[in-house]
Amino acid sequence: GQQLNQSPQSMFIQEGEDVSMNCTSSSIFNTWLWYKQDPGEGPVLLIALYKAGELTSNGRLTAQFGITRKDSFLNISASIPSDVGIYFCAGQRDSGYALNFGKGTSLLVTP
Amino acid sequence: DADVTQTPRNRITKTGKRIMLECSQTKGHDRMYWYRQDPGLGLRLIYYSFDVKDINKGEISDGYSVSRQAQAKFSLSLESAIPNQTALYFCATSDSRGAFFGQGTRLTVV
């Protein structure tokens, strides 16, 4: 499958700080998704992006579908301790293909 | 009740044993997937199925097999378990909005 490069691999920040992470692909995707995984749980869908250039928010989270269709960004504003977890990007070329996942960004937030 | 249910949640098995992990969904999705998660490696696709008659290998299918018994059921089998198959396994379903995951099965092969 297509390789997704997600960075950074981990982040250790203080409560209140903003967070940015990104995902790049060697291939064009038509769908980008961002997930969060809490310890001991399955990943949960945060934001879905379906169009190049699209900017979508979900509370303090904002994600963008890059105009080249080979990248996507997730920003978290004013982080809080419950933001701790692993964030995954996922891309899909089109409906005939399975989702490909990045390796995840582990986020730690200190009070 | 969870939309995607995996059983068992935890399992310890011995090397060489056959084991089946089961997944059922109430979301009515045609597409189902099995992923494996290892620390630092993210989610790697084992097998996926786009409908009951469709089975496709993912990037790490060796040592695994699957069965799509019905639209709602997709099981993963390890024919002869080995220690490096110790991992967290996730089943997922998807539609046009994205993929939705079960709570995972933690498998340990000793």
Side-chain angles (χ1 to χ4, degrees), chain B residues 24-97:
Chain B
S24 63
Q25 53 119 344
T26 58
K27 298 186 78 69
H29 293 165
D30 287 325
R31 300 183 176 203
M32 298 188 74
Y33 309 80
W34 276 103
Y35 288 91
R36 168 180 172 159
Q37 185 177 25
D38 298 277
L41 295 179
L43 292 157
R44 293 185 292 166
L45 184 62
I46 306 173
Y47 270 95
Y48 61 103
S49 168
F50 281 177
D51 65 42
V52 174
K53 296 180 181 178
D54 176 72
I55 300 288
N56 304 281
K57 291 183 177 181
E59 62 182 295
I60 54 162
S61 58
D62 288 348
Y64 302 95
S65 62
V66 291
S67 175
R68 185 78 185 268
Q69 300 96 323
Q71 187 203 39
K73 295 185 182 297
F74 192 37
S75 60
L76 175 72
S77 293
L78 286 67
E79 298 301 326
S80 179
I82 56 177
N84 77 0
Q85 290 178 312
T86 293
L88 189 55
Y89 290 84
F90 286 102
C91 173
T93 72
S94 75
D95 64 7
S96 59
R97 295 168 297 161

